[in-house]
Amino acid sequence: AKEVWAVGARGAAAHFDGTSWSRAQTGAVESLSALWLLDAGEIAMATPPIGYAHGADLLPADGATPSPAGWIRAKEPILPSAIVQGTIRPITSLFAPADAEWAWGTIVEGTSASSPSQKNGIWRARVVDGDGGRNVEFAVVLPPGACAALGCVQMQDIHGSSADDLWAVGVRGATVHITGAQSETPTVRALNSRTWAGLNGVWAASPTDVWAVGGAGTIRHYTGGEVAWDVIEDVPTTEDLHAVWGTSKADIWAVGDHATVLHYDGATWSLVDVRGLGDRVPDLFTVWTSAPGHVWVGGDGVILSLGGKP
């Protein structure tokens, strides 16, 4: 609750210390799309795989110097040949508990006439010790073309109830369940979300309690079925939803376009009134809760708070 980071377009970053928010100069010119929070320090990821480290003790890029806020561009990561050949596209999300060896991420992969089935939208990376210091090493987790069958070519978000049990969602209603995520041989299994709408956000409270949100107010709930998710009816918006997060079965938040904020109380999803924006109706892209009643929402030029300063 007293150590919160937000990153965004053109290297923008902000930090909350439990009392107030302040801008943090990263020195990046790329848009920062994913945060990797380690036991010691943070890594912000940009595309193509570029890392900016803050207290994470990574080898710096040649000629890199720390920004006034202590961020520095890291040395180019170690990439397997499949990624070097171009399988990394815009990084859309990253998830890892602080003590996990592997961080998992998603990308929106393209396809081409020459290799329509060779692209996968899921990857993982870890910090390794090498000659002279520490670096980030990427790894391919699925055989070439696996996502053509599993539907995980263009993926938007990933989250887990633990380091080993993860869910990823993407375009055309794609949902995949990853088990053994920290092992040498993870298992990736596709399930039926019962929608063709793009899914943009996922939050897993447990292996059998997972929420996903997406286009046109789509909300899906996984409760342990063998093949399919549950359809949520009576969602009080048709705006595209981008993110979901919660603290319990009766305290879940979702955000989306045109300043849309939804809350689930364990029985019903309802619209939440957002004040203080004046005439603005910014699109909202991320939500995170430190505790019940304390919610942070990030969007197009705004950070919103519920519950005051934690």
Side-chain angles (χ1 to χ4, degrees):
K2 296 183 179 179
E3 182 71 18
V4 185
W5 286 92
V7 295
R10 295 181 294 278
H15 178 245
F16 180 74
D17 61 6
T19 302
S20 62
W21 283 89
S22 60
R23 295 178 184 269
Q25 297 181 33
T26 62
V29 295
E30 304 87 359
S31 292
L32 303 175
S33 53
L35 273 170
W36 186 354
L37 306 180
L38 305 168
D39 280 330
E42 298 80 31
I43 301 173
M45 299 299 299
T47 303
I50 298 169
Y52 286 84
H54 179 264
D57 194 29
L58 296 184
L59 286 169
D62 292 342
T65 57
S67 74
W71 288 84
I72 190 167
R73 180 167 176 157
K75 183 179 178 179
E76 290 186 3
I78 303 167
L79 300 175
S81 59
I83 292 180
V84 171
Q85 292 170 2
T87 61
I88 280 286
R89 292 293 184 271
I91 293 173
T92 50
S93 70
L94 182 150
F95 171 79
D99 58 351
E101 177 185 7
W102 289 100
W104 283 72
T106 58
I107 54 177
V108 175
E109 252 305 349
T111 59
S112 66
S114 61
S115 59
S117 63
Q118 299 305 302
K119 311 296 186 178
N120 294 325
I122 301 172
W123 51 268
R124 66 178 181 173
R126 62 183 174 181
V127 176
V128 295
D129 293 318
D131 295 338
R134 300 170 46 141
N135 200 358
V136 174
E137 175 186 62
F138 279 73
V140 175
V141 294
L142 291 169
C147 278
L150 293 171
C152 53
V153 174
Q154 297 175 309
M155 303 303 284
Q156 294 284 9
D157 195 25
I158 190 165
H159 186 257
S161 58
S162 70
D164 263 322
D165 197 286
L166 315 179
W167 290 84
V169 301
V171 301
R172 293 184 291 278
T175 63
V176 295
H177 186 199
I178 303 162
T179 53
Q182 298 300 313
S183 71
E184 289 299 316
T185 56
T187 298
V188 180
R189 185 165 77 95
L191 280 85
N192 181 8
S193 66
R194 301 163 76 180
T195 181
W196 287 105
L199 296 175
N200 302 315
V202 61
W203 176 70
S206 75
T208 57
D209 186 12
V210 187
W211 292 87
V213 301
T218 298
I219 298 180
R220 293 293 184 264
H221 187 203
Y222 178 77
T223 56
E226 284 296 315
V227 296
W229 294 58
D230 297 335
V231 176
I232 304 302
E233 306 285 0
D234 300 323
V235 178
T237 185
T238 56
E239 297 288 350
D240 290 350
L241 299 173
H242 296 293
V244 58
W245 202 277
T247 63
S248 71
K249 293 178 180 291
D251 182 36
I252 302 172
W253 298 84
V255 300
D257 287 351
H258 290 88
T260 299
V261 177
L262 304 179
H263 181 251
Y264 181 69
D265 62 5
T268 305
W269 283 93
S270 58
L271 274 170
V272 176
D273 185 29
V274 179
R275 300 178 182 177
L277 291 174
D279 294 332
R280 294 184 298 160
V281 283
D283 295 340
L284 305 176
F285 303 120
T286 188
V287 58
W288 178 76
T289 58
S290 60
H294 294 290
V295 184
W296 294 110
V297 175
D300 189 2
V302 296
I303 293 178
L304 308 176
S305 171
L306 173 73
K309 299 171 183 177

